[in-house]
């Protein structure tokens, strides 16, 4: 609706009307934009091209100017090939330990009850390397709930694990053995039955783009990106835990933990999202500067911002456009900052009172793999 209103204004062509439209849409999107503002780029910029390792498009934080990330700016990750699927020939099989295996066409799935969710998807590797900081986006996903489909198939008592198979595959190597494996991720039956999970065919009002899993993907609100299997072709019920490449070898967090004065190395499969925030952009109108950012990964209560080594200041969290599993946008005015180089750090607090860990918190400092990098993000900026 907001989009249509904006388009009408732009069609009318007058610069004044366009300005009004922009103001209105910024209110509609509840994004802290100011007229005539300019964005000051961060000094620390990711530079590497990540296409060769399967990352297409990354969020450019300075460009963040709406709650919803448009499809053409949405990041995409693929571990193997990027299948182009012929919808006419495509089916989703639901099989394994079920009473009644199903084989569903896209029409069958689209004829089922529709459910939408606004969910911020973040790759668990995001901020795990200095060159990978834009593996995140917020979209309105639409599809049909997964649970009734599993109920219809009738999961047998032994069926405790739900495996989501993608159409994409690649060669993997274990010791001296090479074989081809499809993308596959699993969840316990209990997790899979969450009423939040949808089999998704639509993203921001458009058919799911090829890069994001056309024709069908799992959207598992509250889980890291890796759980949201794209290019789905099969959902399989099994009788034991499933530990493919992307469950049990890659996407494994290795962390040193203290137990009775001993250091214990724990390995856990990446699963649910973690509390996090990041400064997105600094804007300027004359001598009035403003820091805008996002917070996600848990129900956000409040956000604080630290400039250089100064005190933590409470940011204003925009509560006008929110959803349970979507990021919240926050802002902090920064009047007349002294010229020179500064750092900007944010930390989010959730409604249970947890705080996003500092980089030297043992939960981050003693983490030896780059997954689940939810430590506080510091950006550098130069003010004239
Ligand atoms: N089939 C399949 N699903 C996949 C992947 C993949 O390589 N193949 N990548 C996963 C990872 S690591 C992430 S972070 C998310 C990214 O979703 P997006 O590409 O729509 O942004 O998809 C997940 N689903
Ligand atoms: Mo990911």
């Amino acid at each position: 609706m907001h989009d249509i209103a904006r388009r009408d204004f732009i069609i009318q062509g007058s610069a004044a009307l366009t300005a009004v439209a922009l103001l209105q849409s910024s209110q509609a999107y509840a994004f802290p934009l100011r007229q005539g503002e300019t964005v000051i780029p961060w000094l620390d910029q990711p530079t590497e091209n990540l296409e060769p390792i399967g990352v297409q498009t990354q969020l450019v934080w300075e460009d963040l100017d709406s709650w919803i990330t448009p499809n053409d700016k949405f990041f995409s990750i693929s571990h193997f090939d990027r299948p182009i699927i012929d919808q006419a020939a495509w089916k989703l099989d639901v099989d394994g330990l079920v009473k009644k295996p199903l084989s569903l066409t896209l029409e069958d799935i689209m004829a089922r009850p529709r459910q939408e969710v606004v969910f911020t998807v973040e790759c668990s590797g995001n901020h795990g390397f200095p060159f990978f900081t834009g593996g995140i986006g917020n979209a309105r996903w639409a599809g049909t709930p997964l649970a009734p489909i599993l109920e219809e198939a009738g999961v047998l008592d032994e069926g405790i694990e739900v495996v989501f198979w993608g159409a994409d595959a690649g060669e993997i190597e274990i010791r001296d053995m090479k074989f081809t494996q499809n993308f596959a991720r699993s969840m316990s039956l209990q997790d899979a039955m969450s009423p939040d999970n949808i089999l998704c065919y639509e993203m921001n009002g458009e058919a799911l783009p090829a890069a994001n899993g056309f024709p069908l993907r799992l959207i598992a609100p509250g889980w890291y990106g890796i759980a949201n299997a794209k290019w789905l072709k099969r959902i399989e019920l099994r009788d034991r835990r499933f530990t493919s490449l992307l469950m049990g070898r890659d996407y494994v967090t290795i962390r040193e933990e203290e137990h009775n004065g001993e250091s214990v190395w724990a390995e856990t499969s990446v699963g649910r999202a973690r509390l996090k925030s990041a400064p997105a952009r600094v804007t300027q109108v004359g001598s009035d500067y403003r820091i805008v950012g996002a917070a996600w990964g848990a129900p956000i209560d409040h956000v604080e911002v630290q400039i250089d080594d100064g005190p933590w200041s409470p940011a204003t969290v925009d509560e006008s456009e929110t959803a349970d599993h979507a990021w919240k946008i926050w802002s902090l005015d920064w009047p007349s900052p002294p010229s020179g180089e500064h750092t900007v750090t944010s930390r989010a607090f959730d409604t249970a009172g947890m705080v996003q860990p500092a980089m030297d918190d043992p939960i981050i400092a003693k983490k030896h793999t780059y997954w689940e990098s939810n430590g506080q993000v510091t950006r550098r900026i130069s003010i004239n």
Side-chain angles (χ1 to χ4, degrees):
M1 209 187 94
H2 305 313
D3 273 347
I4 291 168
R6 179 163 47 182
R7 220 172 298 138
D8 285 350
F9 272 114
I10 289 168
I11 287 166
Q12 293 187 39
S14 133
L17 281 175
T18 307
V20 171
L22 279 173
L23 256 181
Q24 287 196 340
S25 72
S26 73
Q27 279 159 8
Y29 284 111
F31 204 90
L33 300 176
R34 294 174 300 171
Q35 240 178 325
E37 67 184 10
T38 52
V39 180
I40 306 171
W42 303 107
L43 293 175
D44 50 303
Q45 289 292 338
T47 47
E48 262 105 320
N49 171 20
L50 303 186
E51 287 266 358
I53 59 165
V55 181
Q56 253 180 20
T57 315
Q58 283 200 60
L59 177 74
V60 177
W61 282 102
E62 285 93 335
D63 291 351
L64 187 75
D65 62 359
S66 61
W67 186 55
I68 295 283
T69 313
N71 289 1
D72 62 348
K73 289 191 175 169
F74 207 94
F75 83 104
S76 111
I77 294 191
S78 98
H79 292 272
F80 305 122
D81 52 331
R82 290 178 174 272
I84 302 291
I85 292 172
D86 172 14
Q87 186 192 317
W90 177 90
K91 280 194 167 177
L92 175 74
D93 290 330
V94 182
D95 60 19
L97 296 171
V98 296
K99 291 191 195 95
K100 188 180 76 160
L102 306 175
S103 189
L104 304 170
T105 64
L106 193 59
E107 291 71 42
D108 295 336
I109 291 166
M110 291 178 80
R112 301 180 69 96
R114 180 185 166 93
Q115 183 168 311
E116 288 188 2
V117 61
V118 180
F119 166 41
T120 302
V121 178
E122 185 190 23
C123 178
S124 52
N126 195 36
H127 290 109
F129 305 97
F131 52 81
F132 181 46
T133 59
I136 184 166
N138 185 45
R140 185 181 298 277
W141 310 93
T144 193
L146 169 65
I149 290 179
L150 297 179
E151 271 160 12
E152 203 173 303
V155 178
L156 297 171
D157 286 346
E158 319 85 272
I160 59 160
E161 185 90 344
V162 186
V163 185
F164 299 90
W165 292 94
D168 49 334
E171 191 178 71
I172 63 176
E173 200 177 334
I174 296 173
R175 301 208 169 185
D176 55 358
M177 194 176 35
K178 280 187 180 163
F179 53 94
T180 297
Q181 192 176 74
N182 281 80
F183 179 96
R185 277 280 305 194
S186 71
M187 276 185 178
S188 70
L189 179 62
Q190 194 190 349
D191 286 339
M193 289 296 288
S194 162
D196 290 343
N197 294 336
I198 58 172
L199 296 179
C200 164
Y201 45 74
E202 206 183 279
M203 180 179 181
N204 293 330
E206 289 166 27
L208 198 57
N212 306 97
F214 179 86
L216 195 74
R217 77 179 300 175
L218 176 65
I219 282 292
W223 292 70
Y224 272 117
I226 188 70
N228 296 262
K230 302 191 284 187
W231 306 300
L232 274 180
K233 67 168 190 183
R234 180 183 182 206
I235 298 176
E236 186 201 11
L237 269 294
R238 300 180 75 105
D239 66 356
R240 60 200 68 192
R241 298 317 307 268
F242 182 83
T243 54
S244 67
L245 173 70
L246 300 165
M247 289 297 293
R249 290 189 295 282
D250 220 343
Y251 286 85
V252 170
T253 296
I254 304 181
R255 195 179 260 129
E256 251 180 292
E257 299 170 351
E258 293 302 311
H259 181 72
N260 290 344
E262 266 176 45
S263 181
V264 179
W265 287 63
E267 292 178 72
T268 52
S269 186
V270 168
R272 288 179 199 278
R274 288 180 181 272
L275 174 63
K276 190 166 169 183
S277 71
R281 51 169 16 196
V282 173
T283 60
Q284 175 191 10
V285 181
S287 61
D288 291 332
Y289 289 74
R290 179 178 284 176
I291 304 161
V292 176
W296 64 92
I300 301 301
D301 185 71
H302 65 284
V303 177
E304 295 177 345
V305 181
Q306 184 186 40
I307 294 161
D308 302 323
D309 295 324
W312 290 94
S313 310
T316 303
V317 177
D318 196 311
E319 300 283 355
S320 55
E321 203 137 23
T322 62
D324 284 356
H325 297 287
W327 60 20
K328 283 187 178 175
I329 304 300
W330 51 263
S331 63
L332 179 72
D333 286 334
W334 188 17
S336 309
S339 62
E341 233 186 275
H342 298 280
T343 60
V344 177
T345 306
S346 67
R347 64 179 185 191
F349 293 76
D350 70 12
T351 52
M354 297 288 288
V355 56
Q356 181 186 356
M359 290 304 289
D360 60 2
D361 186 306
I363 200 167
I364 299 296
K366 296 203 165 186
K367 182 168 71 66
H368 296 275
T369 48
Y370 45 82
W371 313 114
E372 302 187 78
S373 290
N374 69 319
Q376 292 166 16
V377 174
T378 297
R379 303 292 316 250
R380 292 192 298 115
I381 197 157
S382 176
I383 303 291
N384 283 327

